[in-house]
Amino acid sequence: MIRKIRLFTPGPTPLLPAAQFAMAAADIHHRTAEFRALYQRVLDQLKTFVGTKNDVLLLASSGTGAMEAAVSNLTSPGDRVLVLSAGKFGERWVALANAFGCAVDVVNVPYGQTFSLDEVRKALKIETRAVFMQATESSTGVRHDVEGVARLLKKADSGALLVVDAITGLGTTHFEVDGWGVDVIIGGSQKAVMIPPGLAYLGVSNRAWEAMEISLNPRYYFDLRKERKNAHKGESSYTPAIALIAALGAALDYIASQAGGDLAAGRDALIDNAEKCAAMTRAAVEAMGLKLFAPAAPAAAATAVLPPAGVDSGVIVKELKNRFGAVITNGQGEMKGQIFRVAHIGLFDYMDTIAIVGALEQIAISTLKIPDFEFGQALAAAQRVFAEVVSPTKPELAVSAR
Ligand SMILES: *Cc1c(COP(=O)(O)O)cnc(C)c1O
């Protein structure tokens, strides 16, 4: 058979065709009224997408650039900060905070798990200036409890800022950014918003803006105060990633179009869509006799699965690519060979999910030779989950997840 390449990866994710066209047509200069109108519109749309009244800024960088900006703009050397780490991206917070001279406390939990709020409470100190966490740890497929941590900080009357890497959380998890008191929330272009890598965006609270006035760490390209001042005039501090910004506008229009033009409702539909695809996938792999890597708190961004005992997960990754053109991801770093990850973030739907489950069934039988597994068992499990979740008699499902 011919191979049609499809990404099932948690970033970069499949590109939205309308966004690709917008990118190709973005032959404009950035110091013009035309660009300023585009920029202002996209920044406004981003506020709605993120779900905040705070300023949202765009940076020409991958997601890690915004993570670095959060650390460099909010902290001073010697500041005590707390990182909640459960995977590769949690470890990135630790490395960044160390690079900027912070005194770093870490709540570390094993890969595949999430921390308990008790552990967080114990690790929080009076002098903790900021708490850094992921909303979803893409390297392990875990969802963390952002709301729980935000509540805990309020209850403890902590002055610590809450900084959330929601790079795969946005568009896959319902957040009340302002209501919960998230101070910085970070997203990246190559994830839920279905455009290529190269843009990071972040919502910043008033408390965080105030903290920036007294923080002493060096910053230049990622000086958020300067960026904000320029953004209010419809400009970016340096040459913006014009084509990506045009693409982002088209993508946010598409998301709005999923709910009759209402972007917030479209975002909720996108989140519910990811939740559905993830639930279908979990049921399917379990019906295959495979184990989930993060069964207790699975993220909707991606599902991490353990291969059968004795099998290198790379075999499954390779077979899916070679036989079906389906690109999934292996484990990262020392997790390589131990798990495989199938993404649901962004432009994935029912059809994609059924297709990947069907291809996995082929591999389960021909390559993995899973005993007693027959064609259709995983598909049937996915079908049943789909039928349950979208049942129009249960609209409260979508609401209660919020
Ligand atoms: C993709 C991702 C990042 C950002 O990585 P970049 O390669 O810098 O874009 C950060 N955190 C999480 C949880 C991610 O999934």
Side-chain angles (χ1 to χ4, degrees):
M1 297 197 83
I2 64 161
R3 280 187 318 149
K4 180 170 164 184
I5 299 288
R6 293 177 173 85
L7 296 184
F8 288 90
T9 47
T13 61
L15 299 178
L16 179 76
Q20 290 177 281
F21 295 134
M23 215 168 354
D27 191 9
I28 54 178
H29 192 273
H30 56 293
R31 305 297 180 208
T32 59
E34 195 186 358
F35 178 77
R36 279 191 287 273
L38 169 69
Y39 200 48
Q40 228 126 33
R41 180 173 75 86
V42 171
L43 290 175
D44 272 353
Q45 284 178 307
L46 270 181
K47 277 194 193 192
T48 307
F49 182 74
V50 170
T52 180
K53 294 209 159 34
N54 296 324
D55 280 323
V56 176
L57 302 179
L58 265 171
L59 301 173
S61 75
S62 80
T64 307
M67 293 172 73
E68 172 160 333
V71 174
S72 67
N73 281 265
L74 294 175
T75 67
S76 303
D79 274 1
R80 189 155 288 285
V81 302
L82 176 61
V83 175
L84 313 181
S85 176
K88 289 287 148 201
F89 293 104
E91 289 158 21
R92 190 166 297 178
W93 276 134
V94 175
L96 276 165
N98 276 322
F100 283 90
C102 296
V104 188
D105 295 319
V106 186
V107 171
N108 239 322
V109 297
Y111 292 175
Q113 296 179 23
T114 186
F115 32 79
S116 76
L117 293 177
D118 238 19
E119 290 171 286
V120 180
R121 186 177 302 115
K122 280 184 198 138
L124 194 65
K125 298 183 172 137
I126 298 169
E127 62 271 32
T128 305
R129 281 291 173 90
V131 176
F132 296 94
M133 68 183 293
Q134 270 62 42
T136 49
E137 173 54 75
S138 322
S139 69
T140 63
V142 163
R143 178 169 4 219
H144 296 317
D145 183 4
V146 175
E147 182 180 11
V149 173
R151 275 224 187 101
L152 188 159
L153 290 179
K154 269 198 183 150
K155 205 167 155 207
D157 213 6
S158 166
L161 297 166
L162 177 57
V163 181
V164 179
D165 162 5
I167 295 175
T168 53
L170 283 159
T172 65
T173 304
H174 294 286
F175 296 113
E176 298 264 354
V177 176
D178 300 346
W180 297 347
V182 176
D183 292 293
V184 176
I185 184 161
I186 301 171
S189 58
Q190 79 276 33
K191 312 277 176 150
V193 291
M194 315 168 195
I195 66 171
L199 283 181
Y201 54 97
L202 66 176
V204 182
S205 74
N206 285 330
R207 256 168 33 110
W209 289 117
E210 282 162 19
M212 278 182 227
E213 297 299 329
I214 54 160
S215 62
L216 299 174
N217 260 318
R219 62 209 97 137
Y220 185 81
Y221 186 70
F222 292 134
D223 186 336
L224 295 180
R225 287 177 303 169
K226 186 169 175 186
E227 206 56 58
R228 179 197 209 191
K229 215 181 265 168
N230 287 316
H232 283 170
K233 295 182 283 182
E235 304 233 341
S236 60
S237 299
Y238 310 102
T239 310
I242 298 168
L244 289 173
I245 291 163
L248 183 54
L252 293 168
D253 286 347
Y254 167 79
I255 293 168
S257 78
Q258 299 303 300
D262 177 341
L263 180 53
R267 174 209 55 215
D268 288 348
L270 182 70
I271 294 168
D272 294 341
N273 174 78
E275 293 278 15
K276 264 168 234 164
C277 296
M280 289 169 70
T281 305
R282 289 195 297 269
V285 295
E286 287 190 309
M288 264 173 220
L290 299 180
K291 293 226 159 18
L292 298 170
F293 187 56
T303 298
V305 186
L306 291 158
V311 175
D312 186 310
S313 63
V315 171
I316 298 166
V317 176
K318 236 184 232 147
E319 286 270 296
L320 278 172
K321 173 88 188 290
N322 291 344
R323 293 181 58 199
F324 303 104
V327 182
I328 64 162
T329 40
N330 204 321
Q332 281 171 257
E334 64 266 32
M335 306 269 292
K336 198 167 177 207
Q338 297 180 39
I339 54 172
F340 65 89
R341 293 172 297 151
V342 178
H344 323 290
I345 176 170
L347 197 55
F348 296 104
D349 64 359
Y350 166 84
M351 301 293 263
D352 296 315
T353 308
I354 289 295
I356 192 79
V357 169
L360 274 170
E361 283 197 341
Q362 291 289 345
I363 289 166
I365 286 177
S366 67
T367 308
L368 304 176
K369 302 191 170 30
I370 294 178
D372 301 326
F373 178 72
E374 287 172 29
F375 282 133
Q377 289 175 348
L379 281 165
Q383 296 280 32
R384 278 193 292 270
V385 169
F386 180 81
E388 278 166 26
V389 175
V390 297
S391 164
T393 59
K394 289 187 189 169
E396 71 276 11
L397 270 177
V399 175
S400 66
R402 244 163 257 171

